[in-house]
Amino acid sequence: MSATDKLSLRMHTEAEGGSFAKGNVSHTAERADNDHANNADDSDSERAPRTLRDAPAKSDRTPAAKKPNRRDNKKRSKSSNKDTDNNKKAKKREPDAIEKEILAKSEKYQRGLKLTMGDDKPAAIKVRSKKAQPKIEHEKRRREIAILDAARSEMLLTEQAGYLEAEGEMERTYKVTQDQLADSLDINSRAKIFDLKLEEFGPYVMDYTTNGRHLLLGGRKGHLATMDWRSGRLGAEFHVRETIRDVCWLHNENLFAVAQKKYAYIYDHSGAEVHCLQKHVEPTALGFLPFHFLLASTGMTGRLMYQDVTEGRIIGEHKPGYGPNHVLKVNPYNAVVHMGHGNGIVTMWSPRQSQPLAKMLCHKGPVQAMAIDRSGTYMATSGLDGSLKVWDIRNFKALHEYSTMRPAQSLDISQRGLLAAGWGANVTVWKDALVTKVDAPYMKRLLPSTTVSDVRFVPYDDVLGYGHSSGLSSIVIPGAGEPNFDAYVANPFETTKQRQEAEVKQLLDKLAPETIQLDPTFIGRLDPRSRDQRQLELLESKREQYAKDKADGKYLDNEVKNKMKGRNSTAKRFARKRLNNIMDLKKLNEIENEEKKKLESEAKRKKIPESEKGALGRFYDEKRSTA
């Protein structure tokens, strides 16, 4: 482009804001015509109007440059929305395989919520308040997202549970010994098979912490010891020189409780005595509620004691009335305490209720041992009649029954649902024994010339430990423990700082004793009935109760004769009749005083015969007359 062309373009742009001389404009116009003829081959994008005459007029503009009308926009948006809705209905997406797997895994995290994937939308919750509607929907969606996140996190779990399987039809898993199993294990798992010979102070009872890292041992003759059983590091060891009947860890490995001959004691990790619980007289069994920080015990007195270990006060004290007890277990699902009695009855207790929540007749003889799974669904009991029964706690019915050569002295259920029983010198483990009837056991162990006293599965590990009269033994049971742990619940590899933070969090999240019920989900539950329906049901229940009380003769004036006001009204007569039927201590004292005065007055009025008066009878008569 030449200099004249640039000058003409500049003049054209300046002409839009001002005016120029005719000579200049005509000269530039002629030059522009010549340039336009010379540059006919240029593209349309490079051509520009040289003067104002070449600029397009308003009428020559395309209709696309005009602004569309608002009504046209609304019509177009409505039509486009209809088209998109039709397309969505036509192309409704179904959940894929991964989403279906996530839905299947999310069932165990649901609490009454039904999740949806794909294009399906959950049913809306209808409430009367318009302000509360979006809040409820937001909370519901937040819970759904939390459930789905928990289900998706399982895809990151690296460990898987596995069981011992037989190769052929003739092979049996319970015939595999620990020596044969050790040949197929790694070095760390092989070290978990050991025997501690402590023949002097046995038999031993034992307990593991919630993360399965620390072990607590208690010998019947007074020997106590704590240790990190994986590394073999001894924590504390001492002798109380008194009979020990049971041991129990508290919220972590820093404190533990011991049921001794006369009282229950609490010791710290170094073995120093912290408290002497004198309210727990002659305890035989202990149990700890970790979310409520309550220590429960029963003993020879037959009482059930609840004590808050953070405040030191007694929360509840119950007396079932069935004699001495030595079987006590805590339901890990709802924190209800189960007690086994000498007449074969199992009672369930809450600290704030004076009566048991439920009673079950489980055996024809005394209950010897009890175990409850972590879901709170199944309970296993053994009795002196030689039977081992599995119960469904939800409907209080017996599901299966097994028999042992001798009554089982101890029972335990692993995290994966394996049932272990210790009887005589034998330890027997059943697989899937809670759900179905099993013909043969999963694994067995025989330790000759001993008597098994306690069996315990190690949390988050495939190990079973059991105490006996000769010490302690540990064996490997494949598939017993949960392979993946939640570090916020129980961390087997926690450090000192993590343990301190977890302890503070547990104390902040401590639950009240009133929350212990058979159904722990009753707190915060919404009543789906409407207000009118609740009022009708309440009125109907009052009518039924009134009819029942009237038939039993509770009300004295069943028929209202006269509607009178004042002292002789129906309500006044009813109140007087009720007062006449009430005999309290004050009224009885008044009746006795009146009768006494009446007898004295009658004795004074009675005339004395002349033969009994004597020489001073005249003065006696004058005194009686003046009195």
Side-chain angles (χ1 to χ4, degrees):
M1 185 181 290
S2 61
T4 57
D5 294 336
K6 294 180 180 179
L7 180 62
S8 63
L9 284 175
R10 184 175 62 81
M11 292 174 64
H12 167 68
T13 55
E14 292 177 355
E16 293 180 357
S19 61
F20 294 90
K22 276 188 178 182
N24 294 335
V25 175
S26 61
H27 177 72
T28 55
E30 291 175 0
R31 188 69 60 85
D33 292 335
N34 295 331
D35 295 338
H36 181 68
N38 295 331
N39 299 329
D41 297 335
D42 295 340
S43 61
D44 296 337
S45 61
E46 294 179 355
R47 294 171 186 170
R50 305 303 184 188
T51 60
L52 289 173
R53 296 175 183 177
D54 297 332
K58 290 184 178 180
S59 59
D60 297 332
R61 294 175 184 173
T62 57
K66 295 181 180 181
K67 293 184 179 180
N69 194 5
R70 292 184 178 179
R71 295 182 179 178
D72 298 336
N73 283 339
K74 291 182 179 180
K75 291 180 180 179
R76 289 175 185 174
S77 63
K78 288 182 180 180
S79 60
S80 62
N81 289 336
K82 290 182 180 178
D83 295 338
T84 54
D85 292 340
N86 294 331
N87 294 334
K88 284 184 179 179
K89 291 181 180 178
K91 300 179 181 180
K92 188 176 181 180
R93 185 176 64 85
E94 295 292 335
D96 54 7
I98 297 177
E99 290 178 344
K100 289 181 180 179
E101 184 180 358
I102 292 174
L103 280 176
K105 290 182 178 180
S106 63
E107 291 182 357
K108 59 183 177 181
Y109 300 106
Q110 296 178 14
R111 297 294 185 271
L113 293 176
K114 186 177 181 181
L115 299 181
T116 56
M117 298 287 284
D119 294 335
D120 297 334
K121 293 183 178 180
I125 302 175
K126 295 182 180 180
V127 294
R128 185 172 297 179
S129 175
K130 293 183 179 180
K131 293 183 178 179
Q133 178 72 28
K135 294 181 180 179
I136 294 176
E137 293 293 338
H138 175 72
E139 181 66 19
K140 182 182 178 183
R141 187 57 188 165
R142 190 184 66 82
R143 292 187 181 184
E144 290 178 353
I145 293 172
I147 292 173
L148 292 176
D149 290 343
R152 291 191 186 97
S153 65
E154 290 191 3
M155 302 179 70
L156 302 175
L157 302 179
T158 58
E159 301 293 337
Q160 294 182 356
Y163 296 99
L164 185 66
E165 296 182 358
E167 293 183 355
E169 296 181 356
M170 300 301 294
E171 188 176 3
R172 298 291 182 268
T173 56
Y174 61 84
K175 292 184 179 180
V176 178
T177 62
Q178 292 294 313
D179 295 335
Q180 296 174 353
L181 188 62
D183 298 335
S184 303
L185 298 176
D186 58 316
I187 297 176
N188 293 330
S189 299
R190 197 180 306 160
K192 297 174 183 178
I193 303 174
F194 60 87
D195 293 323
L196 292 178
K197 291 186 178 180
L198 305 169
E199 300 178 353
E200 187 176 356
F201 303 110
Y204 278 83
V205 291
M206 56 191 300
D207 190 22
Y208 292 97
T209 54
T210 54
N211 57 9
R213 184 172 177 177
H214 295 270
L215 171 65
L216 174 62
L217 286 175
R220 179 59 63 91
K221 297 180 182 179
H223 179 224
L224 273 175
T226 62
M227 61 182 297
D228 187 348
W229 68 276
R230 285 192 175 94
S231 62
R233 186 174 69 253
L234 186 65
E237 185 179 11
F238 57 99
H239 202 288
V240 298
R241 297 183 181 181
E242 201 175 34
T243 303
I244 295 177
R245 299 188 178 97
D246 197 8
V247 292
C248 176
W249 286 109
L250 298 188
H251 59 285
N252 55 24
E253 63 272 14
N254 278 344
L255 295 173
F256 60 91
V258 181
Q260 297 180 199
K261 181 179 180 181
K262 193 173 182 181
Y263 302 118
Y265 292 83
I266 295 179
Y267 299 92
D268 63 355
H269 64 282
S270 63
E273 180 182 329
V274 179
H275 297 291
C276 175
L277 309 178
Q278 297 184 1
K279 295 287 185 180
H280 303 254
V281 181
E282 297 184 3
T284 56
L286 299 175
F288 184 70
L289 284 63
F291 298 104
H292 304 79
F293 282 83
L294 297 179
L295 178 65
S297 72
T298 185
M300 302 303 293
T301 59
R303 294 179 178 271
L304 173 62
M305 304 290 297
Y306 287 92
Q307 185 151 9
D308 193 334
V309 296
T310 60
E311 301 177 4
R313 59 191 180 93
I314 299 295
I315 299 298
E317 182 179 357
H318 309 301
K319 188 172 183 180
Y322 296 124
N325 303 318
H326 65 278
V327 180
L328 184 145
K329 290 291 179 180
V330 179
N331 192 333
Y333 174 66
N334 52 16
V336 173
V337 173
H338 295 224
M339 292 178 60
H341 303 282
N343 54 359
I345 293 178
V346 173
T347 56
M348 305 176 189
W349 294 88
S350 174
R352 291 301 189 186
Q353 298 189 14
S354 59
Q355 297 297 325
L357 302 176
K359 291 183 181 181
M360 297 173 60
L361 180 60
C362 297
H363 295 277
K364 298 179 181 179
V367 179
Q368 293 294 108
M370 189 190 309
I372 306 168
D373 72 326
R374 63 173 180 172
S375 65
T377 306
Y378 302 104
M379 178 181 68
T381 59
S382 66
L384 205 58
D385 53 357
S387 62
L388 193 155
K389 297 181 181 181
V390 179
W391 302 83
D392 191 345
I393 307 178
R394 294 170 296 183
N395 51 16
F396 307 106
K397 290 184 179 180
L399 300 178
H400 318 294
E401 183 175 354
Y402 301 92
S403 60
T404 55
M405 298 297 293
R406 293 176 60 183
Q409 297 296 323
S410 181
L411 298 174
D412 196 19
I413 299 175
S414 72
Q415 293 177 327
R416 302 285 298 177
L418 299 183
L419 175 61
W423 51 278
N426 298 270
V427 175
T428 308
V429 181
W430 286 275
K431 176 187 173 185
D432 300 329
L434 304 178
V435 182
T436 59
K437 176 70 175 178
V438 183
D439 298 331
Y442 176 56
M443 294 189 74
K444 293 193 303 184
R445 178 74 187 277
L446 173 64
L447 201 62
S449 66
T450 60
T451 302
V452 177
S453 57
D454 195 9
V455 294
R456 293 293 176 98
F457 281 103
V458 180
Y460 306 103
D461 207 340
D462 296 341
V463 176
L464 172 66
Y466 60 96
H468 46 80
S469 57
S470 298
L472 171 71
S473 298
S474 177
I475 58 176
V476 173
I477 306 294
E482 181 68 31
N484 299 285
F485 61 89
D486 189 352
Y488 290 100
V489 178
N491 187 3
F493 308 101
E494 67 180 0
T495 61
T496 304
K497 186 66 175 178
Q498 290 175 340
R499 176 180 54 78
Q500 293 172 356
E501 293 178 355
E503 185 176 7
V504 173
K505 187 176 182 299
Q506 286 177 347
L507 289 170
L508 292 175
D509 295 339
K510 176 185 172 183
L511 299 178
E514 290 80 10
T515 59
I516 299 177
Q517 294 292 335
L518 286 176
D519 184 11
T521 62
F522 77 100
I523 300 176
R525 185 185 300 170
L526 296 177
D527 194 349
R529 301 174 299 173
S530 63
R531 182 179 180 183
D532 297 337
Q533 186 178 0
R534 291 197 301 269
Q535 289 180 352
L536 287 175
E537 292 181 0
L538 180 61
L539 183 61
E540 188 65 25
S541 62
K542 287 184 177 180
R543 288 176 179 174
E544 292 178 358
Q545 185 67 26
Y546 175 78
K548 183 179 179 181
D549 295 341
K550 185 177 180 180
D552 295 340
K554 182 177 180 180
Y555 302 105
L556 299 178
D557 289 343
N558 293 333
E559 296 180 0
V560 180
K561 297 180 180 179
N562 299 322
K563 292 185 178 180
M564 303 174 61
K565 296 182 179 179
R567 294 183 60 187
N568 202 25
S569 63
T570 305
K572 294 290 185 180
R573 286 190 281 113
F574 176 72
R576 285 198 299 270
K577 288 183 178 181
R578 291 196 64 181
L579 288 175
N580 291 333
N581 292 331
I582 297 175
M583 302 295 290
D584 55 351
L585 183 61
K586 185 177 179 180
K587 196 169 184 179
L588 289 174
N589 292 334
E590 291 178 358
I591 293 174
E592 291 178 358
N593 292 333
E594 290 179 359
E595 291 179 354
K596 187 176 180 180
K597 290 180 180 179
K598 187 177 180 181
L599 292 175
E600 290 178 356
S601 61
E602 290 179 356
K604 288 179 180 180
R605 295 192 190 97
K606 187 177 180 181
K607 293 184 179 181
I608 301 175
E610 294 292 339
S611 58
E612 297 179 2
K613 287 182 180 181
L616 302 177
R618 178 171 57 87
F619 303 101
Y620 185 79
D621 291 337
E622 292 178 356
K623 187 177 181 181
R624 283 171 58 91
S625 60
T626 56

